[in-house]
Amino acid sequence: MYNLITKQPLSTPYYSIQGNVGSYSLYKSSIDFTGPLTTDKKLLYRFNADYENSGSYINHVYAERTFFAPVISWQPNRDTKLTVSGEYLSSRQAELSPLGLPAIGTILPNPNGKFSHNTYVGDPTQDREKVTVGRVGYKFEHNFSDKWSLYNSLSYAFVERPYTTNVTPTSLEADNRTVDRFEQIWGPTSVSNLSQDTHVVGKFNTGSLEHQLLVGVDWYQRIVSPFSFVVRTFPSLDIYNPVYGQTPGDFLDTRKDKERLDDLGIYFQDQLAIAPNLKLVLGGRGDFEDQKIVAATTSDPTSPIERSVTSQSNSAFSPRLGIVYQPIPPISLYASYSRSFDQFLGTDVNNNSFEPTRGTQYEVGVKTDLLNNKLSATLALYQLTPIAVPKDAVSDLQRLVGKLKGIEDVGLESPNLEKLLRLKPDLILGLSSHQDIYSLLSHIAPTVLATFDPAAPWKGFLAFTADALGKTQLAQQLMTNYYARLVQLKASINQRLLPTVISVAELRTDGVFLPEAASFEGEIFKDAGIQRPPNQLLHFETSNKMRLGGRYAFLPISEELLSEIDGDILFLVTEDIRSHENPNSELQKLKASPLWSKLKVVQHSSVHEVGFYWRGMGPISANLLIDDLFRYLIKSIKPTTTMP
């Protein structure tokens, strides 16, 4: 979670004009003006504006953005203040997100030679995006007396996407020069968010008890109408001799969703001063939420539309208790208990709404203020227990495998040839790493070994398997659903989470590892447009990497370099999510490290432990991973009210 604060007006005039010129035709200018509008300085203003126009080292890529943010502040007297602010952003660019290039031919050898890093693998005659984002709101403050105050705020935000078209590469074919692609079309799409918060803060006495009371109500509404999305085939591209302007192919999927979420919250808090050095905090929050999603899908705009409606209503009360004792003025001892409630937005792969989650937290600690409050230190011990969160990934995958009738495990790296003989298969699908036993396998049954693009192995392997089994259309539908879910995720993330840096690390019995951009989770993060720390986007030296599936994708991290996994949010992938039950597990050893507790993401309680399906190799694991992104990231950007 983060708080967005615009630049506020100043009573002293200030004027700033800046201009920047950079590489690749970058032109940027900005102004910042502020000062009083009246001689009594009761009416102030501030106006910020930016304009940017740039190209890119990649051919055919451009971006143009216009932004302005006015603020008016009126304070007729010392007890009353009204601030009205707004923001407007208009963006026009060539593509939705960086498309990237195959690893073979850039950082890895290609028998056809290297191709230019400037190559554009989309289609400049198709790729374009226009988005308008706006926000307007006010904040009102009034002091009835020196003991009672009223605060009220209202905010309306919108995102308008009249059109976005994006020709997206998927994989490199076996000739190491042909890039397969498809086209995504968004729009028109409209998203609006309306929120308000009203609360009263007062101080009063009941006998010898001093009270500081907070009572408030907030409301949040989100409407998406419609969320329009179309996927269709698109001709492949010779990356060594690109030809643009080709005719799009058949429609694969058409989706038009309408979504509405209403959230009403009522909260209170009473801070009681039982004695000068003893304070008690009693509070709670009631949440009442309604969610409805209407989805209309079809594989052909001329075919009948399949419509589904998903809705749910939930409510909960979350108490909050705390006590603070000061044995001497510089030292405070405290303890607290609280519960939480969050309603996840969106649906899972089966179009079922996510269940809400509850959490319980206990915390005790000591805080000191020394050197005339110039030095502060806090020591805390806490336990945060989520309740009713999704089951661990290991059991999920076991249940999924249990539903696949007639499937037997014959081994991956070293297949059990005797079991294969007993099964008498009609066809054997293997990996390129099985080349040394190909002759033995082919004596049992016709054998096909997979070859696919190392930059996107799970997508390539899905296409290979589907082609071998004559299930190409099914594989296309799986990929269409995958990209449709990512579009839904992007629409929620892009509004508020863009500045957030999200880290991923894997914990195994032999240490902590960073997955690079070419890993399974790295590819999905790239497809989702999620920002990772810069060091996790590098292609590390191959001598330092762990080989996996014929490619290098993981960098081992020593304890001294544990800060490399830090970020605003950390997804920690563990071999067994249940390892927290074992005090001698690698997970507990990691948490016992002094360097672990120094991580910003740990101090902010923003670590999410996820299962090993994050290292998956197919659409099932991909959808489970996307479920987690909805579960944790969309929850992270939900507006909250901070109690003063």
Side-chain angles (χ1 to χ4, degrees):
M1 289 176 273
Y2 65 93
N3 191 22
L4 180 65
I5 301 177
T6 57
K7 290 184 176 180
Q8 296 300 298
L10 304 176
S11 59
T12 304
Y14 170 81
Y15 309 99
S16 172
I17 301 177
Q18 296 184 4
N20 297 280
V21 178
S23 303
Y24 307 111
S25 303
L26 170 66
Y27 301 94
K28 183 177 180 180
S29 59
S30 62
I31 62 173
D32 183 1
F33 296 166
T34 185
L37 291 173
T38 57
T39 56
D40 59 7
K41 297 186 179 182
K42 293 182 178 181
L43 187 63
L44 309 177
Y45 83 97
R46 189 154 194 168
F47 183 78
N48 281 270
D50 291 273
Y51 174 78
E52 179 179 339
N53 194 318
S54 66
S56 171
Y57 74 93
I58 303 176
N59 298 333
H60 309 292
V61 172
Y62 65 88
E64 182 180 22
R65 297 179 179 88
T66 303
F67 171 81
F68 59 85
V71 182
I72 297 291
S73 176
W74 178 51
Q75 189 168 5
N77 54 61
R78 58 175 295 182
D79 294 321
T80 304
K81 184 177 181 180
L82 174 65
T83 302
V84 180
S85 62
E87 295 178 7
Y88 175 86
L89 170 65
S90 176
S91 174
R92 185 179 64 88
Q93 59 188 45
E95 58 176 345
L96 182 64
S97 59
L99 300 177
L101 293 172
I104 296 180
T106 52
I107 63 170
L108 297 178
N110 189 316
N112 300 301
K114 284 195 172 185
F115 49 81
S116 173
H117 287 207
N118 310 114
T119 304
Y120 186 69
V121 292
D123 194 303
T125 66
Q126 298 285 329
D127 295 345
R128 57 191 182 277
E129 179 192 34
K130 183 177 181 180
V131 177
T132 302
V133 181
R135 183 191 65 82
V136 63
Y138 73 82
K139 182 178 180 181
F140 176 75
E141 306 172 33
H142 178 70
N143 299 322
F144 297 104
S145 65
D146 59 348
K147 294 185 177 181
W148 288 94
S149 301
L150 170 69
Y151 300 86
N152 173 252
S153 63
L154 178 70
S155 176
Y156 171 75
F158 68 89
V159 178
E160 297 287 345
R161 189 191 298 270
Y163 61 80
T164 296
T165 59
N166 193 215
V167 175
T168 305
T170 57
S171 61
L172 187 67
E173 293 187 2
D175 63 0
N176 290 318
R177 65 182 302 138
T178 303
V179 176
D180 294 326
R181 303 180 297 173
F182 72 98
E183 184 176 30
Q184 306 173 79
I185 305 172
W186 292 267
T189 297
S190 175
V191 181
S192 64
N193 295 293
L194 182 62
S195 61
Q196 82 84 33
D197 175 48
T198 302
H199 60 270
V200 176
V201 177
K203 299 179 180 179
F204 61 94
N205 294 344
T206 57
S208 61
L209 296 179
E210 297 179 2
H211 299 261
Q212 182 172 332
L213 180 67
L214 166 72
V215 178
V217 57
D218 59 31
W219 175 70
Y220 171 72
Q221 181 188 78
R222 169 187 168 89
I223 297 177
V224 181
S225 179
F227 172 76
S228 180
F229 177 59
V230 175
V231 179
R232 58 184 177 181
T233 61
F234 202 85
S236 57
L237 181 76
D238 185 343
I239 203 166
Y240 289 91
N241 184 29
V243 176
Y244 304 114
Q246 302 182 65
T247 303
D250 299 329
F251 286 93
L252 299 175
D253 183 61
T254 299
R255 185 181 184 97
K256 184 174 290 187
D257 291 357
K258 293 183 178 181
E259 176 182 327
R260 175 165 178 159
L261 173 69
D262 291 278
D263 179 4
L264 174 66
I266 302 173
Y267 56 91
F268 71 93
Q269 177 178 290
D270 188 9
Q271 179 178 300
L272 299 89
I274 302 174
N277 62 343
L278 180 62
K279 293 181 175 63
L280 179 66
V281 177
L282 304 174
R285 176 184 174 89
D287 283 288
F288 308 88
E289 297 190 335
D290 294 286
Q291 178 182 347
K292 183 177 181 180
I293 299 175
V294 179
T297 60
T298 178
S299 58
D300 188 335
T302 63
S303 302
I305 294 178
E306 298 178 9
R307 190 178 302 274
S308 64
V309 179
T310 304
S311 61
Q312 64 172 331
S313 298
N314 293 289
S315 61
F317 176 74
S318 304
R320 180 184 181 189
L321 305 173
I323 188 170
V324 180
Y325 173 65
Q326 291 181 283
I328 56 176
I331 297 179
S332 298
L333 307 177
Y334 70 91
S336 68
Y337 161 82
S338 62
R339 297 199 67 192
S340 62
F341 169 85
D342 274 302
Q343 173 66 64
F344 300 129
L345 303 179
T347 58
D348 62 18
V349 68
N350 297 315
N351 263 345
N352 298 317
S353 297
F354 289 125
E355 292 295 323
T357 186
R358 297 298 307 268
T360 302
Q361 177 172 320
Y362 302 90
E363 182 174 351
V364 295
V366 56
K367 181 178 180 180
T368 62
D369 294 300
L370 306 173
L371 304 178
N372 294 324
N373 295 326
K374 294 180 179 179
L375 176 64
S376 296
T378 301
L379 177 64
L381 175 66
Y382 65 89
Q383 176 179 338
L384 178 62
T385 305
I387 303 173
V389 298
K391 296 180 177 64
D392 65 79
V394 175
S395 59
D396 281 344
L397 289 176
Q398 289 173 344
R399 285 193 294 273
L400 288 170
V401 172
K403 296 179 180 179
L404 301 177
K405 304 300 181 183
I407 301 296
E408 288 199 41
D409 180 14
V410 296
L412 179 62
E413 296 298 329
S414 301
N416 188 320
L417 299 181
E418 293 182 0
K419 183 178 286 189
L420 278 171
L421 283 170
R422 291 196 302 270
L423 291 173
K424 298 179 181 180
D426 297 316
L427 178 68
I428 297 175
L429 296 179
L431 301 175
S432 55
S433 58
H434 298 144
Q435 186 65 47
D436 56 339
I437 58 171
Y438 174 80
S439 58
L440 295 175
L441 296 174
S442 59
H443 277 87
I444 299 174
T447 301
V448 180
L449 301 183
T451 56
F452 46 79
D453 177 17
W458 75 272
K459 299 173 188 174
F461 188 65
L462 174 64
F464 161 80
T465 306
D467 184 63
L469 298 176
K471 300 289 185 180
T472 303
Q473 187 173 358
L474 176 60
Q476 290 176 343
Q477 184 62 47
L478 289 172
M479 291 308 302
T480 297
N481 293 339
Y482 165 79
Y483 285 109
R485 296 197 70 206
L486 288 183
V487 170
Q488 184 184 9
L489 180 68
K490 286 181 182 180
S492 298
I493 288 179
N494 286 345
Q495 295 178 58
R496 301 185 188 175
L497 202 62
L498 288 178
T500 304
V501 176
I502 301 174
S503 175
V504 183
E506 293 190 4
L507 177 63
R508 309 176 192 170
T509 55
D510 53 346
V512 178
F513 294 83
L514 275 181
E516 67 166 307
S519 63
F520 177 73
E521 54 266 66
E523 276 295 308
I524 295 178
F525 270 44
K526 183 178 71 174
D527 291 343
I530 294 175
Q531 180 182 353
R532 293 176 62 192
N535 61 295
Q536 296 186 18
L537 299 179
L538 297 176
H539 291 281
F540 304 107
E541 293 296 328
T542 56
S543 60
N544 292 330
K545 296 179 184 176
M546 170 174 288
R547 179 176 289 274
L548 177 67
R551 65 194 177 100
Y552 293 104
F554 295 88
L555 177 71
I557 297 296
S558 63
E559 184 175 355
E560 294 78 11
L561 297 177
L562 204 58
S563 60
E564 294 290 314
I565 72 173
D566 210 356
D568 296 318
I569 296 174
L570 169 63
F571 287 101
L572 183 63
V573 186
T574 62
E575 289 191 349
D576 186 349
I577 201 69
R578 295 167 297 182
S579 58
H580 66 272
E581 300 171 359
N582 180 4
N584 297 318
S585 67
E586 295 298 322
L587 180 60
Q588 294 304 317
K589 293 178 183 177
L590 175 64
K591 291 183 177 181
S593 169
L595 296 178
W596 170 262
S597 60
K598 293 182 179 180
L599 297 179
K600 174 181 66 175
V601 71
V602 175
Q603 295 173 357
H604 293 172
S605 301
S606 296
V607 179
H608 304 300
E609 298 170 18
V610 293
F612 231 42
Y613 49 87
W614 276 57
R615 275 189 61 193
M617 291 289 286
I620 292 177
S621 294
N623 276 298
L624 290 172
L625 190 155
I626 295 174
D627 284 350
D628 282 344
L629 297 181
F630 270 106
R631 195 169 287 128
Y632 298 115
L633 297 188
I634 305 306
K635 177 193 72 172
S636 297
I637 65 174
K638 177 183 173 182
T640 60
T641 299
T642 302
M643 297 184 180

